[in-house]
Amino acid sequence: MADLFDNAPDAGAPAPNANRPLADRIRPSRLAEVVGQEKVLGPNGPLGAMLGSGSLSSLILWGPPGVGKTTIARLLALETDLAFVQISAIFSGVPELRKVFDAARLRRQQGRGTLLFVDEIHRFNKAQQDSFLPHMEDGTIVLVGATTENPSFELNAALLSRAQVIVLERLSLADLERLAQRAEQELGRALPLAAQARDRLLEMADGDGRAALNLIEQVMAWKVAGKLDTDQLSQRLMRRAAKYDKSGDEHYNLISALHKSVRGSDPDAALYWFSRMLEGGEDPRYLARRITRMAVEDIGLADPAAQRHCLDAWALYERLGSPEGELALAQAVIYLALAPKSNAGYAAYKGARDLARRSGSQMPPAHILNAPTGLMKDQGYGAGYQYDHDAEDGFSGQDYFPEGMKRPVLYLPVERGFERDLKKRVEWFASLRQKRRTEGKT
């Protein structure tokens, strides 16, 4: 329903089908028709519950491209009888926002609310995001923002405290198949593809419903006899590049997946995520650095050779370049995934850093301080130091922590790999230390 303040007087009038893209022609007319977002739109989902209660609050729709963010926003406005106003953070600034707020205020005086849909809301700066707050608080607008980026990083806390974040998921192959069937019904004919080629076409969309419909529309425009197989389809269509932003969420999601797969001793999953990052255009040097860090953090002294293996693979990559050098990195990933795991060294280091911060500036015990001057000798520096090589078993058992500090236990080796031997050494020295102290008291 259009009013005086809508963006266009005929905003609700559809264009003739012949001039409309397929994605627009089969756009859902009600929320029940939206594909792939049943978790949030179902009766027990957050949006379903809101609509069921007759109360719609401000929202941030977070999800990848082509999952229905704009469609959902339009249908929310339709089902709550709110005027739908759409702007993009890419093309709008403070003057445009002021006009939108003024129009919404006048519309409210006429007895109708406004759902303001802001596409790419994360592109607004902090001051622009703050400008929404008073209008959200007094009910002038119901804000529905759409973003492909993590709202926790891109939106300020004040805005997030006034809006519920709704996570939308990429579409599954089953969801895309439902869209394909709708497209075939709209166009009145089946896709000219064999079964495997049909699956490949949907895989090319990479969970993006809009991309899937655009690909289907392109295939439907071909004049072909019979059905194309997978090879024929691949000759006619370039595979869609995987979604990967080397500075965004996807970068951190995938490196996290790689790291946890290595930690979980799953070489197949580790290779998959490693390859996903390479296919997305990640710098192999970044991956070389990260897998070396994994060797230090998650394998440590359970297999000291793991670190050397990563450094060698890194050096091989620098010598060979791509793509040959990437094989060396892949083999390092396999090695790490299958190596015995221990974070005992990592945990000991973190514990030591924490203890160092808390203990302040305590001096080392006087007996282990050098005394190059007479004054320092008079102060007791070096007095009572026992030279370990002169002691039985090459071990004096002296205390090397600051005087008065309770001796901590920081390194707890595990019963895996080489650390099994280190654990025996730790226990042996601990027993000797206790023996030396007992002997010193008698």
Side-chain angles (χ1 to χ4, degrees), residues 84-247:
F84 180 80
V85 178
Q86 178 176 351
I87 62 173
S88 171
I90 298 175
F91 303 111
S92 302
V94 172
E96 291 79 11
L97 288 175
R98 189 176 295 117
K99 292 177 183 178
V100 169
F101 296 145
D102 289 343
R105 191 176 300 109
L106 290 172
R107 191 181 293 110
R108 187 185 180 201
Q109 292 172 2
Q110 292 184 338
R112 193 176 187 208
T114 299
L115 187 152
L116 175 59
F117 176 66
V118 183
D119 200 14
E120 305 280 356
I121 192 171
H122 60 275
R123 295 184 182 272
F124 275 137
N125 61 37
K126 185 179 185 298
Q128 290 169 322
Q129 291 180 31
D130 285 342
S131 70
F132 292 102
L133 303 181
H135 307 289
M136 296 166 64
E137 290 175 346
D138 67 12
T140 299
I141 62 169
V142 172
L143 175 68
V144 178
T147 178
T148 56
E149 302 296 328
N150 191 326
S152 301
F153 302 142
E154 303 296 337
L155 302 182
N156 66 44
L159 184 61
L160 286 176
S161 71
R162 292 164 174 81
Q164 181 174 348
V165 176
I166 304 295
V167 180
L168 303 180
E169 300 179 348
R170 71 190 297 274
L171 302 187
S172 67
L173 286 177
D175 296 329
L176 295 176
E177 174 60 29
R178 289 168 62 191
L179 288 181
Q181 292 174 11
R182 286 187 188 178
E184 290 172 325
Q185 185 176 2
E186 169 67 24
L187 296 172
R189 63 186 189 278
L191 277 164
L193 300 174
Q196 289 185 338
R198 184 187 184 95
D199 291 341
R200 176 63 61 85
L201 179 73
L202 299 182
E203 288 172 357
M204 286 180 178
D206 194 24
D208 184 328
R210 186 186 305 107
L213 292 172
N214 289 342
L215 290 170
I216 289 169
E217 189 169 26
Q218 187 175 348
V219 170
M220 287 294 207
W222 295 340
K223 307 298 183 185
V224 297
K227 295 186 176 183
L228 302 177
D229 60 23
T230 302
D231 291 338
Q232 292 170 319
L233 176 67
S234 299
Q235 290 172 3
R236 290 169 174 257
L237 278 182
M238 293 292 291
R239 185 175 181 85
R240 185 169 181 260
K243 180 171 74 74
Y244 187 75
D245 179 358
K246 288 190 283 185
S247 63

Side-chain angles (χ1 to χ4, degrees), residues 297-359:
E297 179 179 337
D298 289 296
I299 294 166
L301 295 173
D303 183 356
Q307 297 171 30
R308 184 69 259 169
H309 197 92
C310 290
L311 292 173
D312 288 345
W314 195 342
L316 279 168
Y317 175 79
E318 296 293 352
R319 288 285 187 93
L320 296 176
S322 294
E324 294 88 349
E326 290 159 4
L327 175 58
L329 297 178
Q331 290 177 350
V333 167
I334 296 171
Y335 186 99
L336 297 186
L338 295 176
K341 305 298 187 298
S342 172
N343 73 338
Y346 182 53
Y349 167 72
K350 290 197 298 181
R353 290 296 297 264
D354 180 63
L355 180 59
R357 280 190 292 269
R358 291 187 286 108
S359 61

Side-chain angles (χ1 to χ4, degrees), residues 28-40:
S29 58
R30 52 196 182 93
L31 285 171
E33 297 175 358
V34 174
V35 171
Q37 306 303 335
E38 290 79 7
K39 287 184 181 178
V40 298

